[in-house]
Amino acid sequence: MNYDKKIDAIVDYIKSGEKSEDNFKVGFEVEHFVIDAETMETITYGEDGGVRDSLMEIEKLGYEGTYEGENIMGLSGDGFAVSIEPAAQFEVAFGAEKTVDELFDNYKKVMGEIVPIFDKKNQLLAELGYQPKSKIADLPFIPKERYKYMSKYFREFGGTMPLNMMQGSGSLQVAIDFKDEEDFKKKFFVANAVSTFLYSTFDNSYIFEGEVYAKHNLRQSIWENCDKPRTGTYPFAFDDDLSYRKYAEKILATDSIFIHKDGKDIYTGDTPFEEIFDQDMSKDMVYHALSIVFPDVRTKQYIEVRMPDNVPYPYNFAAVALIKNMFYDEEIFGFLYQLFSDMTYEKSQKLKDKAVMQGINTIYKDKKISEWMLQITGMIEEDNEYIKPLEELLKRDEKPRDIYESLYKEDPQKAIYNFSVNKFIKEN
């Protein structure tokens, strides 16, 4: 198959996501850990009263289940979808809306229906960046073939922490729109340039493999050491000739790991998508190719900003409001574009390295990250009520992890409850 036709298949897919500014929306998804409120151990998929049983109970509320054989793997309803990550992390993706208020209303409705299923089992939907107690070696994969294939591939070709990514991590991701290729280019650049700022601001990983994590930005370190060709920051994000085509070229050069064919997943290992596209260039295959890469900033028919750990209310909606305004408010976006005008891949990596040791106190140019973030949040007007709690945190040079740490030292069970959706629903 002609190489340019393969490129065009990906470019056309990305381009189909272009929207007029009047139709810009923001979406988000969150990965929760299902935790026993007493022991703080992670609830697995197949155990009695486990995640599988909970999904089937939620399905009875009138939602549509998705299955692999006899195993329920997800749910969908009006304005949301549930999927299960490799170690049974409970991911909820919310449909994009024009305003944060609309997202918040949907979040309250959906979680208000889901959480009681877990409450009656004394289980929590914990909002943290890493497993609060259990170690990944003790957590079985859910019965999904693709995760066996990913584990096999990463063991042979990956870095030092891919299984920590698959079984240990929990994130909050925000989706933003672009109007054309030039808009995409600028937003993709700024999103990558601000990567360390977002990792640091929403750092929420205090425990790592059962022990206190002594450094900062655990999520950043996991992704930097997962599978370098498909994770972390893409170097071309800072190139002057960044384009849809450049992104497509990267995708074609990436190992495919597995593909879905004839109703089942098939292991393809280090076969690049350029070869896979010789046989299949369907939209489903293009979508798979765009989804099986995990950079800080990922592109499909929208741009995914993937750096924050999952954090509890009110900081989760502060993250949504912050990222929305960073990319949709012309004054703020222009400020960021100028602030990072001389950012390069090499500079961004050095900033990441510093932030591992210094967190939000890392100096960029003449200010700490926390000070830059305060300047940015101070420019936000439309969603100010969501931003205020984050501003108060930044004024104290703190991040969500610091609150969790303080609570944890007082009472670990109190900490995990306070960092759960269960607490939010009870109070709202």
Side-chain angles (χ1 to χ4, degrees), residues 145-146 148-150 152-153 156-157 230 254-261 264-273 275-277 279 285 288 292:
E145 285 297 311
R146 65 183 56 187
K148 294 179 184 178
Y149 296 153
M150 289 174 69
K152 171 182 169 65
Y153 173 86
E156 184 173 356
F157 300 105
R230 81 179 68 237
T254 302
D255 293 349
S256 53
I257 304 182
F258 71 92
I259 60 171
H260 193 73
K261 184 177 181 180
K264 61 182 180 179
D265 292 331
I266 300 171
Y267 183 69
T268 51
D270 61 343
T271 304
F273 277 105
E275 293 183 28
I276 298 295
F277 275 34
Q279 304 299 321
M285 185 58 70
H288 172 57
I292 200 65

Side-chain angles (χ1 to χ4, degrees), residues 282-340:
S282 65
K283 284 188 176 180
D284 285 345
M285 185 58 70
V286 171
Y287 179 81
H288 172 57
L290 292 168
S291 300
I292 200 65
V293 297
F294 316 113
D296 290 349
V297 186
R298 183 166 66 181
T299 301
K300 295 177 184 174
Q301 291 170 313
Y302 43 82
I303 296 171
E304 294 176 347
V305 180
R306 300 163 44 84
M307 291 73 86
D309 281 338
N310 192 7
V311 291
Y313 181 83
Y315 306 111
N316 51 3
F317 275 86
V320 175
L322 172 68
I323 293 169
K324 174 202 164 200
N325 281 275
M326 287 171 70
F327 291 94
Y328 291 167
D329 184 296
E330 290 185 12
E331 181 184 359
I332 297 172
F333 185 71
F335 170 78
L336 292 170
Y337 195 71
Q338 182 60 39
L339 175 64
F340 295 112

Side-chain angles (χ1 to χ4, degrees), residues 20 44-45 59 112-113 135 151 166 168 176 193 200 204 207 236 294 296 317 328 397 401:
S20 66
T44 59
Y45 179 81
E59 183 184 24
E113 294 172 352
K135 298 179 181 180
S151 175
M166 293 180 69
I176 56 172
S200 302
N204 191 29
I207 300 295
F236 63 80
F294 316 113
D296 290 349
F317 275 86
Y328 291 167
D397 277 338
R401 169 191 157 137

Side-chain angles (χ1 to χ4, degrees), residues 217-281:
N217 298 9
L218 173 60
R219 179 174 174 79
Q220 172 188 295
S221 293
I222 288 173
W223 288 100
E224 286 292 317
N225 294 284
C226 176
D227 182 25
K228 200 58 179 173
R230 81 179 68 237
T231 63
T233 302
Y234 283 159
F236 63 80
F238 306 95
D239 291 351
D240 290 337
D241 61 347
L242 171 64
S243 63
Y244 293 155
R245 183 181 179 90
K246 266 207 163 181
Y247 196 93
E249 288 172 345
K250 174 63 176 177
I251 297 300
L252 285 185
T254 302
D255 293 349
S256 53
I257 304 182
F258 71 92
I259 60 171
H260 193 73
K261 184 177 181 180
D262 298 328
K264 61 182 180 179
D265 292 331
I266 300 171
Y267 183 69
T268 51
D270 61 343
T271 304
F273 277 105
E274 182 182 353
E275 293 183 28
I276 298 295
F277 275 34
D278 284 332
Q279 304 299 321
D280 185 355
M281 282 198 315

